[in-house]
Amino acid sequence: MSKMEYLKEMPIAVIGGGAVGKTCAADMKLAGREVRLFDMMPFAKQTLANLDKTGILLDGLQRNLYCFERSGKAFFDLVTSDMGEAVKGAGLIVVAAPAMAHEPFFRAMIPHLEDGQVIHIFTDNYASLILRRLMREMGCTKKIIVGGWSSAPYGTRIEAVNGFMFPHVGVKYRAITLRGASLPMSDIDDFMESSKYLPCLDAVTQGNGPEAGNTVLDIGFSNINPVIHVPATILGVSTMENWGIIFGGYDKTTYSMYSHGLCPSICEVQYQFYNEEIDLAEAIGVDVPKYAYESFFSRRSVLTQEYMGLDENGKDNVVFPLDQPSTEGNTGPNSIHHRYLTEDVPVGCKIYHDLGVQYGVPTPVIDSMITLAGSMHKKNFFKESKYNLAYLGIDNMSKDDLLAYLNEGIYNR
């Protein structure tokens, strides 16, 4: 009997009413589990409206190498804006929220945590570090397992028209492998084992399997959003802003960064951005996922590996060439006021910069992205972003102290 098998019949709480949260919740309910869906007021008035009556319809292409698919209409056991109701007695807690929502969610959740619960964060984006810091500050000593993942299990979108959200999520692809880690790493075996009881990871579990990263800092480096989104959005901004005006017909919503924004020069910048991540990881003593140079020069960039894997030569199984027309990829962004910049710059890029300063690693390409994004937004993201090493609870740490905390949970402050 697995040490974590006690989770098999326990309720699952999903925290977050966005596309990933709704998709995870629907997917796991369709797999036969008891699922509770939570979102916070005032957002819950819109995100959870009528879901107790309508449920969520899950469908879509669900592209992946092994053709794993699960579709249908899911009706949840509980739809609530009461955090206590959502997490009471739950075995697994899935946090599926943008980075800016992590702290308010965690502050609401921490007083209700119970011994034995396991928290999975999609996408981690350093949230495991924030949660552990807040637990210390709020005096929470519950014996729980905390960990996060490099990406969400899906590329998914909520069907929406003019701001109205339908109770329908369309899954464009399912990951067949994801990289995860626990904080501290002494919990990694139990954390990875617990993932077998999360049906939202079934395509991973039954695919190429989850991969254990080298600490949650590795998982931050493994988040491919900053390296793909930021250079492509900033350097492709003229195409994006002229779409629907000069070219692309009259519908701005048909613009796709992947289909219309990427080009060889931008892909080269993405590759150099990635190499600065490698330099940071090596200086600190953690790891990063390995991507071939050629993998960046594709309409789906390194994202392809998540759902189509690699061939016997270590190359992408499916390549979407830059020199051919393509409709491959999600639509958007349609403005600079999109999470591809508003989250990936002040969170992902800013933490890379701060780690570089603390551990003596130059990050000129990443810094240039922060500077340009700040110019477009009329902000100084270096100064104005709340995401810094103090916010994560790891400022002024020697490398040895940082690794002791990440690996063993020894917090020397």
Side-chain angles (χ1 to χ4, degrees):
M1 177 178 174
S2 164
K3 180 181 177 182
M4 307 305 290
E5 196 169 350
Y6 71 93
L7 298 169
K8 186 176 182 180
E9 304 300 332
M10 296 183 74
I12 301 173
V14 177
I15 310 302
V20 174
K22 285 177 174 174
T23 306
C24 284
D27 198 19
M28 294 191 290
K29 185 59 190 176
L30 291 170
R33 296 297 295 274
E34 180 181 338
V35 177
R36 305 163 182 174
L37 179 61
F38 166 90
D39 206 357
M40 185 172 285
M41 296 294 285
F43 309 105
K45 286 184 178 179
Q46 181 182 25
T47 60
L48 304 184
N50 300 315
L51 289 189
D52 54 339
K53 300 176 183 177
T54 65
I56 287 283
L57 174 63
L58 186 159
D59 60 15
L61 288 173
Q62 306 186 36
R63 182 179 288 121
N64 63 90
L65 180 62
Y66 305 112
C67 297
F68 183 97
E69 185 266 346
R70 185 185 287 135
S71 300
K73 180 172 280 193
F75 291 89
F76 306 119
D77 298 278
L78 179 66
V79 178
T80 183
S81 58
D82 184 320
M83 183 68 82
E85 281 188 333
V87 304
K88 183 178 182 180
L92 289 153
I93 300 174
V94 170
V95 178
M100 301 306 176
H102 285 151
E103 182 175 354
F105 277 164
F106 293 159
R107 288 190 178 277
M109 181 174 66
I110 286 169
H112 302 287
L113 292 175
E114 301 171 2
D115 289 340
Q117 291 178 323
V118 184
I119 298 176
H120 289 257
I121 306 171
F122 299 102
T123 299
D124 186 66
N125 227 355
Y126 310 104
S128 296
L129 288 159
I130 296 168
L131 176 54
R132 286 297 191 188
R133 174 181 67 81
L134 290 172
M135 288 177 66
R136 289 192 299 273
E137 292 177 1
M138 296 173 69
C140 179
T141 58
K142 295 297 183 182
K143 296 178 180 178
I144 65 170
I145 295 172
V146 174
W149 296 90
S150 57
S151 185
Y154 331 88
T156 183
R157 292 289 187 271
I158 297 172
E159 183 188 359
V161 177
N162 294 326
F164 177 81
M165 291 188 291
F166 289 93
H168 173 205
V169 290
V171 177
K172 296 179 180 295
Y173 68 85
R174 285 178 179 263
I176 59 171
T177 186
L178 285 179
R179 197 171 176 98
S182 60
L183 180 63
M185 282 296 283
S186 52
D187 289 331
I188 189 62
D189 290 341
D190 291 343
F191 178 72
M192 298 302 280
E193 180 70 20
S194 73
S195 71
K196 296 178 181 178
Y197 303 101
L198 270 182
C200 63
L201 287 175
D202 281 351
V204 173
T205 303
Q206 299 174 35
N208 290 353
E211 181 180 0
N214 182 344
T215 79
V216 293
L217 208 55
D218 170 325
I219 302 310
F221 293 148
S222 301
N223 180 357
I224 59 177
N225 286 348
V227 70
I228 297 177
H229 294 165
V230 176
T233 303
I234 290 175
L235 301 179
V237 69
S238 64
T239 304
M240 177 186 74
E241 292 189 345
N242 281 314
W243 194 263
I245 300 172
I246 307 300
F247 43 75
Y250 297 98
D251 185 359
K252 290 184 70 68
T253 66
T254 62
Y255 173 76
S256 167
M257 180 199 76
Y258 292 97
S259 297
H260 311 120
L262 288 180
C263 66
S265 294
I266 289 176
C267 294
E268 184 65 48
V269 173
Q270 291 171 326
Y271 179 70
Q272 293 184 27
F273 185 120
Y274 166 66
N275 276 275
E276 291 182 1
E277 295 179 39
I278 293 175
D279 291 343
L280 285 168
E282 289 180 348
I284 294 167
V286 297
D287 201 5
V288 290
K290 302 301 186 289
Y291 300 114
Y293 176 74
E294 296 81 7
S295 297
F296 284 85
F297 293 81
S298 160
R299 287 287 164 206
R300 290 299 266 162
S301 190
V302 294
L303 177 62
T304 308
Q305 293 185 26
E306 277 190 9
Y307 64 97
M308 293 304 294
L310 299 172
D311 65 18
E312 64 275 9
N313 298 311
K315 304 294 185 181
D316 289 347
N317 262 321
V318 175
V319 177
F320 304 100
L322 291 173
D323 61 356
Q324 295 180 18
S326 173
T327 58
E328 176 64 21
N330 298 328
T331 55
N334 303 121
S335 81
I336 62 170
H337 304 287
H338 186 281
R339 64 180 176 86
Y340 284 11
L341 292 187
T342 59
E343 177 173 294
D344 292 336
V345 172
V347 181
C349 293
K350 176 60 164 47
I351 293 299
Y352 292 149
H353 166 80
D354 288 355
L355 287 169
V357 172
Q358 182 156 299
Y359 297 107
V361 180
T363 54
V365 173
I366 293 171
D367 292 356
S368 71
M369 296 293 104
I370 301 172
T371 300
L372 290 172
S375 296
M376 293 176 182
H377 282 265
K378 302 179 182 178
K379 292 182 177 181
N380 185 332
F381 285 119
F382 292 103
K383 294 181 179 179
E384 295 182 35
S385 172
K386 72 176 182 179
Y387 274 79
N388 54 44
L389 302 191
Y391 188 64
L392 305 187
I394 58 173
D395 57 314
N396 300 315
M397 276 189 171
S398 69
K399 186 176 80 169
D400 289 342
D401 283 347
L402 175 62
L403 293 176
Y405 175 48
L406 297 175
N407 286 304
E408 304 162 45
I410 300 170
Y411 193 71
N412 290 323
R413 302 291 290 188

